[in-house]
Amino acid sequence: YNHADVDDSFVKLAMVGRPNVGKSSLINSITGENRVMVKDMDHTTRDSIDTKFKFKEENFVLIDTAGVRRLSKIWVRNIEDWSVMRTNRAITRADVIAVVVDGVQGIVHQDLAIISKVLEEKKWLVIVVNKWDQVLAKPGIDKDKMMNRYIDYLKAKVEFLPWVSVVFTSATERKRV
C-alpha cells in the first residue's frame, strides 16, 4: 500500500524483538490472515512490513520488523546493521511499540536494549510475552500463579515496569492477541 494512505488517524503499532520470538505470527493472528511470511528460522523478515487493519472502527497499521540480535558473525553484519536500522526507524515511526519476548527464553540483553531505545524515543510500550502456551506446558508449572510470577520476574529485570502493559500471548494458538 501507499504510505500516503496512512494519516494521523491510524494507530501505528510496531512489533519489535529478537529473531524467532513470533512477531510475524502475532501479526497474522491479529489480522486473521497470513499476510506476513512465517518460518522457524532467523532472518525470515529482513525489512519492515506494514499491515493495515481495522479493529472496533479504529484504523491500525502493524509494523513488522526484522529481529534484532547481537552481531557476532562478520558475514551477517550488513544484514544485521540493516535490521537494526530498520527496527530503529520503525520505533521512531510508531505510536506504540510492542516488544515481543519469547516467554520460554525470558528477557535477555537484546530485549533490554530495545526497551531502552523505546523509552529514549518516549513511546508507549507494551511487553508481549509470546509462546505462553509453551511456558504453561512445562512440567510442574502452577498455571494459576505463573502470570504473577512472570510479572515479578519482569519487574526484577526491568525496573520501570509498573506503568508498562504486559500481555501474555500464544500467536500460534491465537490466544490473547
Side-chain angles (χ1 to χ4, degrees), residues 73-124:
K73 300 183 187 92
I74 196 75
W75 60 87
V76 296
R77 190 173 232 90
N78 288 343
I79 290 171
E80 296 288 353
D81 287 347
W82 176 249
S83 297
V84 169
M85 184 186 80
R86 297 295 297 187
T87 296
N88 287 343
R89 191 178 301 159
I91 290 171
T92 303
R93 261 180 59 214
D95 303 309
V96 180
I97 316 299
V99 177
V100 183
V101 176
D102 183 318
V104 177
Q105 293 177 359
I107 288 232
V108 297
H109 176 74
Q110 294 96 304
D111 300 321
L112 295 173
I114 294 167
I115 289 168
S116 292
K117 174 73 177 161
V118 172
L119 294 174
E120 213 175 274
E121 294 280 338
K122 295 181 172 49
K123 300 289 181 160
W124 289 100

Side-chain angles (χ1 to χ4, degrees), residues 150-165:
Y150 213 95
I151 287 174
D152 290 343
Y153 157 77
L154 289 174
K155 282 180 182 172
K157 288 282 209 176
V158 189
E159 304 94 55
F160 47 80
L161 197 68
W163 56 269
V164 175
S165 296

Side-chain angles (χ1 to χ4, degrees), residues 30 37 71 84 122 129 138 153 173:
I30 290 167
M37 182 171 68
L71 303 180
V84 169
K122 295 181 172 49
V129 181
K138 285 186 167 184
Y153 157 77
E173 295 187 5

Side-chain angles (χ1 to χ4, degrees), residues 12 15 31 36 48 65 70 78 87 112 136 163 168 174:
K12 293 178 268 323
M15 296 286 207
T31 60
V36 185
S48 297
T65 58
R70 236 173 314 153
N78 288 343
T87 296
L112 295 173
L136 296 181
W163 56 269
F168 296 89
R174 295 195 71 203

